[in-house]
Amino acid sequence: MQICNCSQNRFLFITLFSMHLFPFSIFKSKSVNIARFFKNIDADFIPVIDEVSLIRNNLVAYLEDNSPPEICAASYEAYLPHMFALTHALEVQGSAIKRRYAFSTKWSSLIAPNSKLIDTAGIYYEATFILLGYATTLSNVTFSALTEATSETIGTIFSDGVKNLRKAAGIADFVSKSVAPHIGPLERNHHPEVLPEFAAMLSELLIAEANGIALEKLLLDGKLKGMPAARICLDIKESMEKCMGILDEMVNEHEKFNEELPRHFDEVRHFYSARACRFIAEQKNSDEMVGEAIAYLYKGQLYLHNIKNSVGQYKYKFINADNNVFLNGLKSERTSIDQLMFDYKNQNDICERQVIPEADDLPFPASERFLELTEFNLPNPIFDEIVLKE
């Protein structure tokens, strides 16, 4: 699909403001000398352990400096094979490693009201925060790229964004099933990210975001419209409702969260419900059912009305606060629905004169997930075993 120069600004406005990615903050940690957790390590192997410490401490420094997400993502990726080697050495039964102290680090929270650094005991704590940090950073890479998109680069950014978000969803899914459950009894003072439920919720959010970008790419290429587009919107809506359910369960277990994440879920589910209504209305009009089309547009207006006025208070990390992504996306969708309403009502009043049913009586079609997550595979450990002195 070619974008003419005269419509470039409007194209970017509609495209970028349809991207409702959650702007994750950055995990923080403290540097650590990993060698101090071991004893009786062969002298020839000490440089290997020192290198692991160096790579981890470089990551911590990038996070502390709020470095660009691309740099943080690369640093996370560099540390992964070292971290899994440590996990094997410290936790796998039968390992020859001897520990001097229990492995412990400090990590902050992304979503707890109090994000102070908390001691985390055990390598599975470390693995949980590293992997979740990597996943959320991949989302931020996509968010950052979208804010700098042009009509020439948007196609590549969409493709890379979908790839990153599917990968991130797979990482979070891996944490929920294979890492967080091994943490064991939780300390009374713990961050909610260590719960398997949190990682499952994050995975659902990230795959919904991947499908949201895929939807925009299909619309941009002219490959999707009407009911198929509505079904993808409804799948995203259902993902947000699933996230809200998981969050409610964790709150019932006395976990505490800041307001931004639950508000995001609620706003995005209403937004994609409204978009689904618009796509259904377009399909109904094409099928010469303009009365039902108008009713679905009424329904879409109600969903947009239900989005809280506080949406303008979001603080996005990579863009100017006055240029609010979600707020402008909301205005853009409202304008589209209002314009269709005006056109369809004129059409019905002048030509069709069809009965307009009650909006509440109109069902949604079944949802359809377009993309699934990419399964996360463990990187090869940087070393197989630690050589010990006799």
Side-chain angles (χ1 to χ4, degrees):
M1 178 178 178
Q2 297 295 322
I3 306 297
C4 64
N5 290 335
C6 63
S7 64
Q8 180 174 346
N9 290 339
R10 184 174 184 276
F11 156 72
L12 289 174
F13 176 87
I14 293 173
T15 299
L16 297 181
F17 296 148
S18 295
M19 299 288 96
H20 302 313
L21 308 187
F22 186 78
F24 291 100
S25 59
I26 298 176
F27 278 124
K28 305 292 185 180
S29 185
K30 289 290 186 182
S31 298
V32 65
N33 178 12
I34 293 176
R36 75 185 185 89
F37 297 113
F38 303 141
K39 63 180 180 180
N40 298 330
I41 301 176
D42 188 274
D44 293 337
F45 203 76
I46 290 177
V48 177
I49 296 298
D50 289 342
E51 182 185 10
V52 177
S53 294
L54 177 62
I55 291 172
R56 186 189 186 280
N57 293 341
N58 285 339
L59 168 62
V60 169
Y62 288 133
L63 299 178
E64 184 64 30
D65 292 342
N66 294 319
S67 298
E70 297 83 1
I71 293 177
C72 293
S75 191
Y76 272 118
E77 193 161 340
Y79 180 51
L80 286 179
H82 299 79
M83 183 194 69
F84 281 112
L86 288 174
T87 303
H88 183 274
L90 289 166
E91 299 294 333
V92 173
Q93 188 173 5
S95 172
I97 188 66
K98 303 298 182 183
R99 286 181 288 187
R100 176 178 285 116
Y101 307 111
F103 189 89
S104 65
T105 53
K106 292 179 180 288
W107 284 97
S108 67
S109 173
L110 293 178
I111 44 79
N114 184 350
S115 61
K116 67 180 181 180
L117 293 171
I118 291 179
D119 288 320
T120 58
I123 191 64
Y124 285 110
Y125 269 102
E126 171 84 348
T128 294
F129 282 99
I130 288 293
L131 288 170
L132 293 183
Y134 183 34
T136 54
T137 299
L138 288 174
S139 178
N140 283 346
V141 167
T142 303
F143 189 102
S144 179
L146 284 168
T147 65
E148 301 172 359
T150 67
S151 57
E152 289 76 25
T153 63
I154 192 66
T156 299
I157 289 173
F158 276 169
S159 298
D160 291 344
V162 168
K163 181 180 178 181
N164 280 337
L165 289 167
R166 293 179 69 196
K167 179 179 180 180
I171 293 170
D173 182 67
F174 177 80
V175 172
S176 73
K177 295 174 180 176
S178 303
V179 182
H182 294 287
I183 288 177
L186 297 176
E187 298 289 338
R188 180 178 179 181
N189 187 24
H190 65 266
H191 288 318
E193 286 90 346
V194 300
L195 298 172
E197 293 86 352
F198 176 85
M201 179 181 68
L202 179 62
S203 178
E204 192 68 26
L205 170 62
L206 293 168
I207 194 59
E209 292 180 345
N211 277 282
I213 292 182
L215 171 65
E216 297 306 322
K217 181 67 164 65
L218 292 168
L219 294 170
L220 172 64
D221 293 341
K223 296 179 180 179
L224 196 69
K225 63 180 180 179
M227 202 65 73
R231 293 182 188 278
I232 296 177
C233 287
L234 292 172
D235 179 72
I236 297 171
K237 161 192 170 289
E238 291 171 3
S239 289
M240 294 303 101
E241 290 171 345
K242 183 176 180 180
C243 288
M244 292 173 71
I246 296 173
L247 191 66
D248 286 344
E249 290 179 5
M250 286 192 284
V251 169
N252 290 338
E253 294 297 323
H254 308 294
E255 299 296 333
K256 296 180 179 179
F257 299 88
N258 60 35
E259 295 179 357
E260 290 189 1
L261 195 59
R263 186 173 63 199
H264 180 79
F265 295 154
D266 190 52
E267 289 163 352
V268 172
R269 75 178 176 115
H270 280 106
F271 179 83
Y272 276 98
S273 296
R275 292 195 86 191
C277 288
R278 174 164 64 86
F279 289 128
I280 295 170
E282 291 172 341
Q283 182 70 59
K284 293 291 183 180
N285 188 59
S286 297
D287 296 340
E288 300 183 352
M289 303 171 68
V290 68
E292 287 194 20
I294 293 170
Y296 273 105
L297 291 175
Y298 274 127
K299 193 170 185 173
Q301 288 177 329
L302 290 173
Y303 279 118
L304 293 180
H305 180 73
N306 287 335
I307 295 178
K308 298 175 182 178
N309 292 330
S310 62
V311 64
Q313 298 173 7
Y314 264 90
K315 296 179 180 178
Y316 284 81
K317 181 172 177 58
F318 302 110
I319 60 175
N320 188 293
D322 294 332
N323 192 22
N324 187 284
V325 168
F326 196 93
L327 181 60
N328 284 285
L330 178 61
K331 291 178 180 177
S332 176
E333 187 62 32
R334 181 174 289 134
T335 298
S336 297
I337 289 179
D338 289 348
Q339 183 61 54
L340 283 179
M341 179 71 81
F342 178 81
D343 293 342
Y344 290 177
K345 287 183 75 174
N346 280 345
Q347 174 187 336
N348 194 48
D349 291 344
I350 296 171
C351 303
E352 306 293 343
R353 298 189 181 279
Q354 293 183 12
V355 175
I356 300 173
E358 291 291 330
D360 291 342
D361 296 335
L362 297 174
F364 276 140
S367 63
E368 182 177 346
R369 176 156 295 186
F370 182 65
L371 296 173
E372 298 290 348
L373 57 79
T374 300
E375 185 176 349
F376 176 69
N377 294 314
L378 292 175
N380 292 326
I382 205 68
F383 52 85
D384 291 329
E385 62 181 23
I386 294 178
V387 180
L388 303 178
K389 296 178 180 178
E390 295 294 337

